[in-house]
Amino acid sequence: MTTLLASAGAALPVLTSLAETGRTSTGEEVLFWCLAPVMVIAALGLVFARRTVYAAMSVVLVMICLAVLYVAQEAPFLGVVQVIVYTGAVMMLFLFVLMLVGVDAADTFTDALGAHRWISAVLGVGLGAVLVSVVLTAADLAPSGLAAANADGNPVGVARIVFGDFVVTLEVVGILLVTAAVGAIVLTHRERLVRRVRQRERADARVAAGETLTPLPAPGVYARSNAMDVAALGPGGRPLEHSVPRVLRVRGQERSVGEVHAHLGPEAVGSTPPERAITGEEQVR
Amino acid sequence: MRVLLAAAEGQGAVAAADFSQDTWWIVLVKAVGIIVFLLLSVLFAIWFERKVVGRMQIRPGPNVHGPFGIFQSMADAMKLLFKEDVMVSTAHRLVYVLAPMISVFCSLLVFAVIPFGPAVTMFGVTTPLQLTDFPVAVLYILAAAALGVYGIVLGGWSSGSTYPLLGAVRSTAQVISYELGMGLSLVSVFILAGSMSTSQIVASQAEIWWFLPLLPAFCLYIISMVGETNRLPFDLPEAEGELVSGYMTEYSSMKFAWFFLAEYINMLNVSAVATTLFLGGWRAPWPLSAIGDGMLNTGWWPVLWFLVKLWALMFFFVWVRGTLVRFRYDQFMRFGWKVLIPVGLGWVVAVAVVQGVRQFTDVELRTLLWILAGVAAVATVAMFVIPEQPKAEPEPAKDEGPFDPFAGGYPVPPLPGQTLPPSPRRRRAPTSPADDAPAGAIEQGPVTTAEEEPRG
């Protein structure tokens, strides 16, 4: 934490200055003071956002800012992997679930666990106190060992630690994750009791039942009404009732062809007579 | 384990691009150059795609504005700019406006680490033709791609409408399943090149381009890059026949143009990554690379080779679009999880084992390749010798009985082994003796053919 606060923020060219002097440069300070308020506001947004999707977005914002700070701390591998794994995969899964649950599903604000809120408050205050005391008691802010750790490049340094010093831990965590995945599969697995109905069986059933095989006819489109609520006319001139969407029919919102047809006076019946005679026998205007 | 890493490091120690001479204005020139290049390429790509698809469908394509219709995309862009910008009343305003910008912003990030060429002299400064590079550059590309999907997902969600939401949900699922396959295909390149920096990967391909030794990984990448850009046959988030336009259904005018721009820049991005990681980057192809002691690999020449490879891949995109039809959703998911990811995992393990053998034993590469060829030959022979297992679920026995023209309730052709009964119309008496011969011949012809070769 101390290192983070002390050396937060740096553009790539000024990276080395920190390891040499233990002091932040101007660029680092500017970066930190730009990102830190954003992160704090986004973190508060997670707590106070009314919509779950906005809360998830706040977490994404915090993660991205955190990744930038990691990169500025000369840990580019950690920063980039943070974005790929947490922002790109984990939060995406969260969003997936949120969207499946429903866009406008009302969030319940009633507290299911009464003591829960108090316990979290106490723990939160305790954590804050620990962090603040660590920052205040830190005497030497100069980082040590950064140059040695990144001597062969940052990914190589990380690989040495993860696959060298902590290889057993890594394997144990891997086994734990695999167990969790297998557990999820076992819990959600369902024996198939009946034969699976596929596209082919559905098509066969539809044919056997004598249903319409083609798409349903589109609703009628006329000069005075191009709406969904008027039935189309079949080849015989009769309205096809099933061309109107079922919902409209159930609600009784469809209109008959008679309601939309043009009302023409007696003078309009038949074709308009021509202005001059062509054969000499017809009426002229 | 330390020995392995040290050995891998020693083997992959190729020089990274040197940016030490760069001044702030050189960086600015390169950044602006990349943006201009991308925007012009998108204009060209739209025309290119419409023209090529047109030729594949035997029609001329755009041919009115300018020579060969090349200004068609300008006209399209102007039209989009001047259309009415509809703000949907049920939309979540902030996210709705922000989503297309996220898409475009993230798609612009990728080209920062793509090397266009080796070091050149630009305005008196020697600098690599690449904006920047760092040890995890390829992972940075993956991260930018992962963030870009938020534009699609949030755009679909914030529209407050059914089809966009379905498109967004599909897009999420697609990303989660296909980015795994893509990442696995890139891992084998990292193992062989010994680095994740783009300039070092290009430098490591001086002898052989990685698509040859890593052909399965290359195929995996090509498949998943099409999925990554939401193009046919993987364009389920915007499937026109099912979801109107998916996540961009409620977008119009400039906001729609942002999405459109992002999609085409993403095509350029994934093509550039494939070029850099598998096709030698800016290196000249083999016969040309031998000319004049490699002079075509120096100076500004490499930009040409890079662009040729990039646009070959863009042509491939258009070709795929003109050839294949969309997957059904369950087929698409099954393909991603049950084919791409297992194949990718298996291939990474195989490459790692071979590379481990090379590091820890004194087996020469030539010997190792012979051994691998022997294993492959034995496996091929075994595949021919071992009899095929009978299928667990035998197909239903063929109906050898009489042909039922309405089997299952609707008219069907005869199955193999069945014969078409003679047409009832044949029994009709000829109207007159004079008509008999020709009419009989005409009717006889097709019927006898059908009897001899039953259609299946």
Side-chain angles (χ1 to χ4, degrees), chain A residues 51 53-54 57 60 64 77 80 83-84 87-88 91-93 95-96 99 103 152 155-156 163 165 199 204 207, chain B residues 1-2 9 92 95 135-136 139-140 142-143 146-147 149-150 153-154 157 165 169 172 176 196 328 408 410:
Chain A
R51 285 185 182 279
V53 173
Y54 285 140
M57 284 305 97
V60 168
I64 293 171
F77 183 80
V80 172
V83 172
I84 295 179
T87 319
M91 281 316 291
M92 201 55 100
L93 274 176
L95 268 188
F96 188 67
M99 287 181 176
V103 188
D152 294 327
V156 178
F163 293 107
D165 303 347
Q199 205 174 13
D204 286 344
V207 169
Chain B
M1 197 50 76
R2 275 163 193 263
E9 180 71 0
H92 302 91
V95 184
V136 288
L139 293 186
Y140 159 81
L142 286 181
L147 285 184
V149 183
Y150 274 97
V153 173
L154 290 179
W157 173 78
L165 183 72
V169 170
T172 338
I176 293 166
M196 289 185 280
R328 215 172 55 207
Y410 51 107

Side-chain angles (χ1 to χ4, degrees), chain B residues 50-67:
Chain B
R50 294 180 65 176
K51 201 77 183 166
V52 172
V53 159
R55 297 308 256 179
M56 284 175 178
Q57 296 168 352
I58 324 182
R59 57 188 175 82
N63 60 355
V64 175
H65 303 293

